[in-house]
Amino acid sequence: MTFTIEQNDPKTNARAGVIHTDHGDIQTPIFMPVGTQATVKGVHLHELKDDVKAQIILGNTYHLYLRPGTEIIEAAGGLHKFNGFDRPMLTDSGGFQVFSLAGIRKIKEEGVEFRSHIDGSKHFFTPERVIDIERSIGADIIMAFDECPPGTSDYQYSKQSLGLTERWLDRCIKRFNETEPKYGYSQSLFPIVQGCTYKDLRQHAAENVASKGADGNAIGGLAVGEPTEVMYEMIEIVNEILPKEKPRYLMGVGTPINILEGIERGVDMFDCVMPTRNGRNAQIFTQHGTINLRNKKWESDFSPLDENGTSYVDVLYSKAYVHHLFKAEELLALQIASIHNLTFYLWLVGEARRHIVEGDFATWKAGMCEELGRRI
């Protein structure tokens, strides 16, 4: 995997680039739809590729390990063959999911013992085991196994947690270097910067990650309870240290405004369940603000779902119709809203890229954030 920066914004740290992988190129900044269990919820493959225009999607190591299991994925020839998505993919290490199981996991130096949320069966993840699983899944970009402490963690816990994450990273890198890809194309391992909301910890973590010389680097442990402004401060601190010639991935963030703020601070890659999760709960994002389609005000509004939208669903369906589908609890409502929101997120990062190239990103972003913050 290689990364080419095509344009730097003259007034901010935003940049437009291209990530080159064996499954194709990814134009950055980019949003990556979350396909936790080998599927992006409610979205057909042809819609994901042709309408949403997803350039890269995510899978999750924890969930795919538990179900369907690595034996099935290997028998299929890897995740690309299993789910039919022939463009780049990324897998999270499962660390966030494991550590969210607070009551049913035990953290040790060797790894983490946890019980499946599906059937209660006991499992043990070590850094080495996670790399092996991610080799079996076969994503183009795989993440190191880390501990993700809550955003409200005290300094002492955060420091201990970071130390564990850094020792695990060394073990992940060693295992990655000892093994080979299984399906005839290359994989890249991204380390993750942790450190909670403490400046010195984030600086130390970023310096350690930068020293590894990885193909790209990730920023984790944000948008987990800390104030938004603190999140932005941590991004700035980390991006001052992470190598500028490598892509930077902000994990699990976030709202459209969060994404534009991240781009302004030099982030290249984003993912979040918000477009699909919020869509399934009747919230759609537009360039003029957010809409709750359950509200009665849309009951007799026959205007297009989004008059300025870029998806076929935006002009094919009216607000009144989708409002009706949600009230009637029809599954089509969830699908329409998910497709719309994902298309909007990809449109948004595409527009950000265009304005970076044209040199007026800062002006465009200021006006866009004002619009995005509205509730319609």
Side-chain angles (χ1 to χ4, degrees):
M1 192 200 85
T2 59
F3 180 53
T4 304
I5 297 176
E6 297 183 327
Q7 184 70 47
N8 289 293
D9 181 64
K11 295 183 179 179
T12 72
N13 289 318
R15 67 260 193 97
V18 181
I19 299 171
H20 308 276
T21 79
D22 288 348
H23 279 100
D25 291 347
I26 306 160
Q27 293 188 323
T28 63
I30 190 64
F31 178 81
M32 304 178 285
V34 177
T36 301
Q37 303 192 77
T39 177
V40 177
K41 289 184 185 296
V43 183
H44 289 117
L45 183 63
H46 70 89
E47 292 165 328
L48 191 62
K49 293 175 65 175
D50 300 335
D51 195 59
V52 173
K53 296 181 174 59
Q55 299 179 48
I56 176 174
I57 64 172
L58 268 67
N60 182 267
T61 296
Y62 167 83
H63 288 283
L64 294 174
Y65 160 78
L66 290 176
R67 186 172 53 195
T70 54
E71 288 185 3
I72 296 296
I73 294 174
E74 283 195 19
L79 186 58
H80 291 86
K81 295 286 183 65
F82 186 56
N83 72 358
F85 191 78
D86 57 2
R87 296 173 185 174
M89 283 197 268
L90 180 152
T91 44
D92 189 356
S93 69
F96 180 81
Q97 284 71 28
V98 168
F99 294 109
S100 67
L101 304 171
I104 50 176
R105 50 89 169 149
K106 296 178 181 178
I107 305 172
K108 307 174 182 178
E109 183 67 34
E110 180 62 20
V112 182
E113 180 184 284
F114 64 94
R115 291 190 177 274
S116 164
H117 71 286
I118 299 170
D119 59 11
S121 56
K122 189 180 292 186
H123 303 270
F124 194 67
F125 270 7
T126 66
E128 294 81 6
R129 179 71 176 125
V130 167
I131 294 298
D132 290 346
I133 295 168
E134 292 193 272
R135 287 291 200 194
S136 293
I137 295 171
D140 302 84
I141 300 171
I142 67 177
M143 307 306 299
F145 191 52
D146 64 334
E147 181 184 2
C148 181
T152 55
S153 299
D154 63 36
Y155 184 86
Q156 190 58 35
Y157 182 85
S158 299
K159 185 176 181 179
Q160 291 175 351
S161 171
L162 177 58
L164 187 62
T165 287
E166 292 184 336
R167 293 190 296 277
W168 283 356
L169 173 58
D170 289 338
R171 290 166 58 188
C172 284
I173 292 172
K174 183 174 184 294
R175 187 65 163 196
F176 181 79
N177 291 335
E178 291 171 347
T179 56
E180 295 291 334
K182 295 189 174 185
Y183 307 111
Y185 53 85
S186 64
Q187 293 179 287
S188 293
L189 174 65
F190 280 25
I192 303 172
V193 176
Q194 289 289 351
C196 201
T197 59
Y198 302 100
K199 180 178 179 179
D200 63 322
L201 297 184
R202 284 285 176 178
Q203 288 174 326
H204 172 86
E207 289 166 357
N208 181 64
V209 162
S211 73
K212 304 303 179 183
D215 289 342
N217 301 294
I219 306 170
L222 294 176
V224 288
E226 80 284 355
T228 303
E229 290 307 315
V230 173
M231 176 177 72
Y232 296 152
E233 180 188 3
M234 294 302 109
I235 296 170
E236 292 171 5
I237 289 168
V238 169
N239 279 351
E240 280 295 313
I241 299 168
L242 291 181
K244 291 178 171 55
E245 71 277 9
K246 302 293 181 66
R248 300 160 174 158
Y249 165 30
L250 180 59
M251 304 180 73
V253 180
T255 67
I257 292 177
N258 291 159
I259 288 174
L260 293 186
E261 295 288 352
I263 291 171
E264 182 178 69
R265 290 163 172 81
V267 175
D268 307 293
M269 305 166 68
F270 303 85
D271 80 284
C272 190
V273 297
M274 189 171 284
T276 46
R277 178 176 291 172
N278 288 32
R280 295 194 302 273
N281 286 284
Q283 184 184 54
I284 66 168
F285 299 94
T286 78
Q287 56 189 299
H288 300 297
T290 58
I291 297 174
N292 185 340
L293 286 169
R294 289 191 187 277
N295 289 348
K296 187 175 177 60
K297 66 184 293 185
W298 309 117
E299 186 176 42
S300 57
D301 187 327
F302 302 106
S303 65
L305 192 60
D306 183 0
E307 295 179 7
N308 299 312
T310 56
S311 169
Y312 77 92
V313 300
D314 296 336
V315 294
L316 187 61
Y317 303 111
S318 70
K319 296 181 183 72
Y321 179 62
V322 183
H323 168 84
H324 156 71
L325 293 179
F326 273 109
K327 297 293 283 187
E329 298 184 352
E330 285 288 343
L331 294 179
L332 182 58
L334 283 61
Q335 186 175 12
I336 290 171
S338 296
I339 293 170
H340 163 81
N341 282 348
L342 287 172
T343 304
F344 173 74
Y345 267 59
L346 267 295
W347 172 86
L348 184 67
V349 294
E351 283 294 287
R353 176 185 170 83
R354 181 170 71 84
H355 285 282
I356 293 168
V357 171
E358 293 177 357
D360 64 347
F361 171 77
T363 302
W364 170 82
K365 179 249 179 185
M368 182 57 68
C369 283
E370 184 177 344
E371 291 288 314
L372 292 172
R374 296 175 178 173
R375 292 188 177 274
I376 303 174

